[in-house]
Amino acid sequence: MRRFGSVQQKISCVFLTEVKEEQSRKRECQQFQVVATKHVNPIALESNIDCALATEKLDGTCCYVSIYKGQSYLWARLDRKPTKQADKRFKKHQYSHKSCKGFTWNVKEDFKTVPESWVPAHRVQHHNGQPVPDDHGHIPGWVPVEKDNKQYCWHSSVVDYDAGVALVLRPSAENEDLLEITMVPLADLLEQTLELIGTNVNGNPYGLGSKKQPVHVLVAHGSVHIRNPPPVDFQQLCSWFQDSQEGRVEGIVWHCNDGTLVKVRSFDI
């Protein structure tokens, strides 16, 4: 399997964004929302977005394969989040300043505890030995998926540590227009990020399985290509999402040649 950019942190929008004082379409308690403008993000331009590979943004939960206890293991995404009190201070600052810049965190006191096995994601900055929260007030990280942890039972259902394999949905080797479910050695997925999708993940937008017979699979990030993607133009992308059959997706993630990832979601524009 060809390897693409690893999703270790929040991916920047392909367009510059702005804060609007209106009810969030994603969070009921949030009285503002961040939306895309028509201006292409300089990060995307610097990374030569026009030559990037457009792939489908999947609607599931992010996972990671890395070594734990001496063997290849599946890790679940677990962002370290602030306490309610700290989050209120952060949201108040963000709302009044239209930015998170200038806000000061006390990581030891302001953030909820995480399991001892938790590790921060790659490229998380550190200051005085403590991880630095991102612009969303989170510290991206991972926790190993162990067999006896009921919280991650659906993650566990797609791996067999004794056999060292994972259940993966990927393009068929014989016909890339078709997808196949197959067993893949976990060792072949080392240091890759994948999306867990299925019956009990994010409301099952793909209609996989049923309550009596749940189905869950992993999909490597970047593996599902978008055929004939629209240009990186606000209006053309808006029309593509609204009017085309191919546009009925969660969003697009562009994998640039320098490793940079940028995205746009259908509800961003």
Side-chain angles (χ1 to χ4, degrees), residues 61 76-79 81 113-115 117-118 143-157 196 200-201 216:
T61 185
R77 184 64 173 264
L78 180 64
D79 288 3
K81 297 180 179 180
T113 57
V114 287
S117 56
W118 180 88
V143 64
V145 174
E146 304 205 57
K147 294 178 185 177
D148 56 353
N149 191 332
K150 291 183 179 179
Q151 183 180 352
Y152 299 109
C153 60
W154 306 120
H155 292 70
S156 295
S157 71
L196 175 69
N200 296 289
V201 180
H216 299 87

Side-chain angles (χ1 to χ4, degrees), residues 45-247:
L45 295 173
E46 289 167 9
S47 298
N48 200 8
I49 185 68
D50 292 330
C51 294
L53 177 68
T55 69
E56 182 175 340
K57 184 185 184 303
L58 299 160
D59 192 358
T61 185
C62 193
C63 302
Y64 173 50
V65 177
S66 190
I67 298 295
Y68 179 65
K69 293 182 178 178
Q71 70 177 102
S72 302
Y73 240 77
L74 184 68
W75 296 64
R77 184 64 173 264
L78 180 64
D79 288 3
R80 197 171 172 193
K81 297 180 179 180
T83 61
K84 282 187 178 180
Q85 191 174 10
D87 191 50
K88 279 184 180 179
R89 286 193 292 110
F90 176 68
K91 290 283 173 42
K92 186 176 179 181
H93 176 95
Q94 191 178 39
Y95 182 77
S96 60
H97 294 81
K98 301 290 187 275
S99 170
C100 62
K101 289 176 181 171
F103 187 82
T104 303
W105 292 103
N106 182 328
V107 175
K108 285 185 178 180
E109 296 180 3
D110 289 342
F111 283 80
K112 298 174 184 176
T113 57
V114 287
E116 286 185 15
S117 56
W118 180 88
V119 297
H122 294 337
R123 294 187 292 278
V124 167
Q125 296 182 355
H126 286 70
H127 180 70
N128 293 333
Q130 293 290 333
V132 178
D134 61 19
D135 291 347
H136 304 275
H138 295 176
I139 305 172
W142 307 102
V143 64
V145 174
E146 304 205 57
K147 294 178 185 177
D148 56 353
N149 191 332
K150 291 183 179 179
Q151 183 180 352
Y152 299 109
C153 60
W154 306 120
H155 292 70
S156 295
S157 71
V158 299
V159 290
D160 183 333
Y161 292 131
D162 294 330
V165 294
L167 193 63
V168 174
L169 176 70
R170 66 182 184 183
S172 169
E174 297 178 357
N175 184 349
E176 287 194 356
D177 289 332
L178 299 177
L179 297 175
E180 63 180 11
I181 296 176
T182 185
M183 302 302 291
V184 175
L186 280 163
D188 290 354
L189 302 172
L190 271 177
E191 299 310 313
Q192 290 191 60
T193 56
L194 310 95
E195 200 83 358
L196 175 69
I197 61 172
T199 311
N200 296 289
V201 180
N202 275 8
N204 193 19
Y206 303 106
L208 297 177
S210 64
K211 198 169 186 179
K212 288 186 177 179
Q213 294 181 312
V215 173
H216 299 87
V217 291
L218 294 168
V219 187
H221 289 140
S223 63
V224 182
H225 301 176
I226 289 180
R227 306 289 181 188
N228 304 312
V232 181
D233 172 84
F234 185 91
Q235 207 57 54
Q236 291 192 60
L237 276 165
C238 191
S239 298
W240 184 79
F241 278 123
Q242 291 178 0
D243 304 328
S244 73
Q245 182 70 29
E246 295 80 6

